[in-house]
Amino acid sequence: MRICSLLPAATEIAYALGLGKHVVGVTHECDYPQEARARPIVVRSALDPEGMTSAQIDRAVSRARRSLYRIDFDAFRMISPDLILTQELCDVCAVDRTEVVEACTLLAREPTIISLGAVSLGSVLADIERVGKATGTDIRARELTWKLRDRIERVSRRAAGSRSKPRVACLEWLEPLYYGGHWIPEMIELAGGKVGFGRVGEPSARLEWDALVDFAPEILLLMPCGFDAERTKRELHLLTTRAGWSELPAVKAGRVFAVDARSYFSRPGPRLADGLELMAQLIHPEFFPEPVVASAAFKIG
């Protein structure tokens, strides 16, 4: 079996199922686990986000008429996969399916294509089991989803013991402002917070600054899609220079956190369970006294 993963979450799922030795191609963003970085890269982005501001990235994505990800057709033909893991949920996150189909015509044998489309924690678990079924790792997939579901339920049970549900806002982009969608509202609820923006399963959307001020979040989590906490810290001026920033309850209470979205919140894979536990520690430290993983979150101010 020769697996080509066209998105980081799928790569993480494959390795979690013990399929690492079968992964023959990945994207330039597939950085976890460490072994994945040594696999041939068959997809790259037309953007260099490290050298761009959030506003520049947003403008480039908005102006693009097609996905900003490109398949290296020569590399793709060389690895000759028989199973491709991709997704159709977000053109910003992965190569366009049309280009995937076009690339497959270069191969001697038509590969199987599995498109993942998780929009909630439950559908992430379902995607893991789909990959397990397609790769003959059904038992391992069921064991993994059982463990992940148990961790999710443990967070929910512990958070339910709190009498308070602080108002929580999760910002998925800072210029322009976007709130986190899909599984993020679900994570907030499970971790014992009150959701201000978005519904489970619905995509992220633009957020007006005045709406955020009116919501008066007691906890503010900064999680720009694809950024780690260090990169997010470099973007803080986009918020701190806004009128009313210092009056937000979260700012006054010192409960603004930059988190590692790339590892724990942006990718619909197994590490969302880690993200949920991290979120619970930040929302209800009295019920989740475990120390926050180093570099996973930074307190702002």
Side-chain angles (χ1 to χ4, degrees):
M1 178 168 48
R2 299 174 63 79
I3 302 172
C4 178
S5 172
L6 300 183
L7 69 158
T11 300
E12 295 192 22
I13 290 172
Y15 274 87
L17 294 178
L19 296 167
K21 64 182 179 181
H22 299 290
V23 176
V24 295
V26 296
T27 80
H28 69 294
E29 293 178 331
C30 293
D31 55 7
Y32 186 88
Q34 183 68 31
E35 304 93 280
R37 302 185 183 195
R39 294 293 185 256
I41 295 175
V42 298
V43 171
R44 295 185 184 276
S45 173
L47 297 181
D48 175 18
E50 287 301 316
M52 303 172 69
T53 66
S54 291
Q56 289 172 334
I57 295 171
D58 179 74
R59 285 195 294 270
V61 171
S62 299
R63 292 171 181 170
R65 297 186 177 182
R66 55 181 294 191
S67 171
L68 292 167
Y69 289 79
R70 301 288 181 267
I71 294 179
D72 181 333
F73 290 110
D74 290 335
F76 187 79
R77 184 170 54 245
M78 187 174 296
I79 65 170
S80 187
D82 48 43
L83 175 62
I84 297 172
L85 302 178
T86 186
Q87 61 94 38
E88 299 180 62
L89 181 66
C90 175
D91 288 340
V92 177
C93 300
V95 67
D96 184 85
R97 182 180 172 86
T98 301
E99 190 168 339
V100 176
V101 173
E102 179 184 349
C104 290
T105 63
L106 303 173
L107 304 178
R109 293 181 302 173
E110 182 177 357
T112 298
I113 300 176
I114 297 181
S115 291
L116 308 182
V119 296
S120 65
L121 295 180
S123 52
V124 170
L125 301 183
D127 274 349
I128 292 173
E129 295 192 349
R130 285 181 61 206
V131 175
K133 184 175 181 180
T135 57
T137 57
D138 308 58
I139 294 177
R140 186 155 188 167
R142 286 195 295 271
E143 291 175 346
L144 175 58
T145 56
W146 183 86
K147 291 178 180 177
L148 293 173
R149 188 173 289 108
D150 181 62
R151 290 171 63 187
I152 292 168
E153 291 175 352
R154 273 188 285 143
V155 168
S156 179
R157 287 195 300 269
R158 289 171 68 179
S162 175
R163 294 182 179 181
S164 67
K165 293 188 66 174
R167 297 182 300 277
V168 180
C170 294
L171 301 184
E172 191 180 88
W173 204 248
L174 305 187
E175 189 179 14
L177 284 181
Y178 273 75
Y179 61 76
H182 294 131
W183 46 84
I184 295 300
E186 179 181 12
M187 294 172 75
I188 294 172
E189 291 179 348
L190 289 168
K194 180 180 179 180
V195 179
F197 309 101
R199 295 182 180 179
V200 180
E202 294 184 356
S204 307
R206 288 283 292 267
L207 175 64
E208 295 299 325
W209 176 252
D210 287 347
L212 180 66
V213 171
D214 289 344
F215 177 58
E218 296 168 273
I219 299 171
L220 187 57
L221 304 183
L222 312 181
M223 52 178 67
C225 185
F227 286 5
D228 61 16
E230 284 288 350
R231 172 62 196 269
T232 298
K233 286 170 64 178
R234 303 205 306 264
E235 306 282 322
L236 283 178
H237 65 280
L238 299 174
L239 297 177
T240 58
T241 55
R242 287 178 177 267
W245 166 259
S246 60
E247 299 306 310
L248 293 177
V251 176
K252 289 183 174 182
R255 303 193 72 183
V256 180
F257 302 93
V259 299
D260 184 351
R262 181 168 61 198
S263 296
Y264 304 116
F265 297 99
S266 300
R267 299 175 180 178
R271 288 195 292 169
L272 283 182
D274 298 83
L276 175 61
E277 291 166 349
L278 171 60
M279 184 181 289
Q281 290 168 0
L282 298 176
I283 295 176
H284 285 296
E286 71 277 18
F287 287 95
F288 299 89
E290 300 86 351
V292 174
V293 177
S295 79
F298 293 101
K299 187 175 181 179
I300 306 304

